[in-house]
Amino acid sequence: MTEARGSAGPNGDAHARHTPGTPCWVSLMVHGLAATEEFYGALFGWEFEPGPHQLGPYARALLDGYEVAGIGQLPADRHLPVAWTPYLASDDVDLTAETVRLCGGTIGVGPLDAAEAGRLAIGSDPSGAVFGIWQAAAHLGTGITGVPGTPAWNELQTFESASVAKFYETVFGYEEEPTASTDLDYVTLHIAGHPVAGIHGVGHALPRDRGPHWMTYFEVADTDEATTRLVDLGGHVLKPPADTAHGRVSTVADPEGARFSLVQSPH
C-alpha cells in the first residue's frame, strides 16, 4: 500500500494521509443502524462513536480505538441498494468530481463538507458502480489495516475491465497491470508501483439484482469460523470459504443484504 505509516503497535499499520486514488475509507448506508452496529460489532469486534451527520445519522466503527469504517442510516424514503462503498482519496474533491463527469461518470451526492472531518462526493462510474471521493481534513480515513476486522482490499466487479479501467485511470491516475491469464479478466490498479485496488470483469456472472459494484474484503483471523459466526448473527453466505492466491475467502451478505468478502491472509 502507499500510505505513510504512523505507529499502531506491533500488529497493525496506522495511517497518515492517504495518497490520492488510494481507497481510504469504506462506508455502509443501511435502514436499521442499531441492528447493523450490533451485527458488525459481534462479527468484527467493532465499537461505535457518532460521526458527522451531513447525510443523516452516522457512526464510525472503531477497532482498538482506531477508526476503520462508517455506517449511516438511509432516509426512510430512499430505496437505494444497501452496499459497502469505498472512498478514494483526493486532494481536491471538486476537481475530481468534475473529472468524473467529464469522463462519463455521474456525481449523485456533493461535493459537500462533512463538518471539520473533510469534504466528500459520491459518484458512479460509466457502468453504474458507486464509489465515494474523500478529501481529508481532520478525518484522514481508515486508521489501521493488517489486523482482523479491518478493510483488506477493494475490488470492482463489473462486466469487463478494459473500458472501465480507463475511466479510473483517467480520473485517479492509476497505472494498470492486467492479469496475464487468458481466462481471467482482471486488472490491478497501482499507484507509484503499489497495488491499491482491483477490477474483475465477470461478464454475465454479475448478480442480476446488483449490476456492477465495488466489493470490500475484510481481514479475519479464520475465514471458516468468521463465516459460521456471520450465519449465526443473521448473515448469509453467497460463496462458501475457498482457498485463493490471496488467502481463504468467502463472499457473504449482512442481514440487510450488503455484500462483502471475508479474507484470511496466507501465512
Side-chain angles (χ1 to χ4, degrees), residues 32-94:
L33 185 56
T36 301
E37 288 181 9
E38 192 173 324
F39 171 83
Y40 285 100
L43 182 62
F44 292 138
W46 291 350
E47 298 174 335
F48 295 89
E49 67 177 17
H53 281 199
Q54 271 66 22
L55 301 178
Y58 191 80
R60 289 185 182 148
L62 305 179
L63 189 68
D64 296 329
Y66 291 95
E67 297 174 348
V68 292
I71 300 178
Q73 177 130 1
L74 284 166
D77 57 346
R78 295 295 293 276
H79 299 289
L80 300 171
V82 175
W84 280 102
T85 302
Y87 280 73
L88 308 174
S90 170
D91 284 341
D92 185 338
V93 71
D94 295 78

Side-chain angles (χ1 to χ4, degrees), residues 106-121:
T106 59
I107 296 295
V109 176
L112 57 86
D113 290 324
E116 71 287 347
R119 190 163 171 80
L120 69 87

Side-chain angles (χ1 to χ4, degrees), residues 139-206:
H139 174 63
L140 297 178
T142 305
I144 186 173
T145 58
V147 296
T150 62
W153 185 246
N154 288 281
E155 180 179 285
L156 173 63
Q157 303 201 340
T158 188
F159 295 109
E160 54 86 26
S161 66
S163 58
V164 77
K166 290 283 181 279
F167 166 83
Y168 285 98
E169 287 165 30
T170 304
V171 174
F172 292 103
Y174 298 122
E175 302 122 23
E176 177 185 327
E177 182 185 297
T179 299
S181 169
T182 54
D183 58 351
L184 179 65
D185 179 11
Y186 198 95
V187 169
T188 304
L189 300 175
H190 291 71
I191 291 178
H194 297 282
V196 296
I199 299 177
H200 190 188
V202 297
H204 297 297
L206 267 180

Side-chain angles (χ1 to χ4, degrees), residues 99-106 124-127 167:
T99 308
V100 166
R101 293 191 187 98
L102 290 172
C103 292
T106 59
S124 55
D125 66 27
S127 75
F167 166 83

